[in-house]
Amino acid sequence: MVKLRKKEIKDGIIYYYYQIEGKGEWGELFINTNNGQNGWNILAEGDVEWFDNWRQHAYYRMREYVKENNYPETDMVAWG
């Protein structure tokens, strides 16, 4: 499970905080609405640079936000 919390929308870039399993420090992800590029500024506690499983779930959801032009204040991605 990944929790998402909107930080800001600035110059066509959407910033979200993310947290893994509802524990630890939040990280920060972004997606560019003009070209679809995504990345991170800060890794969430428990996340590692070389294994992007958590981030990929969050990026997928963020791409849906862009496609639908809907940016919720909070969200959660769960899989089973």
Side-chain angles (χ1 to χ4, degrees):
M1 170 186 68
V2 176
K3 289 185 175 183
L4 294 164
R5 187 178 77 214
K6 184 167 65 175
K7 177 184 178 186
E8 67 180 338
I9 300 173
K10 184 176 180 182
D11 300 325
I13 300 175
I14 313 307
Y15 297 89
Y16 271 86
Y17 296 114
Y18 79 111
Q19 185 184 47
I20 298 170
E21 298 293 333
K23 301 180 229 171
E25 296 294 320
W26 293 76
E28 183 182 316
L29 305 174
F30 62 85
I31 188 166
N32 186 318
T33 61
N34 297 315
N35 60 24
Q37 290 183 338
N38 54 254
W40 50 271
N41 291 326
I42 301 167
L43 291 175
E45 187 174 333
D47 203 357
V48 290
E49 186 174 344
W50 55 269
F51 185 66
D52 64 357
N53 184 52
W54 305 105
R55 293 187 308 278
Q56 283 305 322
H57 288 286
Y59 292 144
Y60 179 82
R61 184 62 57 91
M62 291 169 68
R63 285 193 283 284
E64 288 180 345
Y65 300 160
V66 173
K67 183 179 176 181
E68 297 169 2
N69 194 32
N70 179 32
Y71 305 99
E73 293 298 318
T74 62
D75 199 0
M76 180 182 68
V77 182
W79 56 97

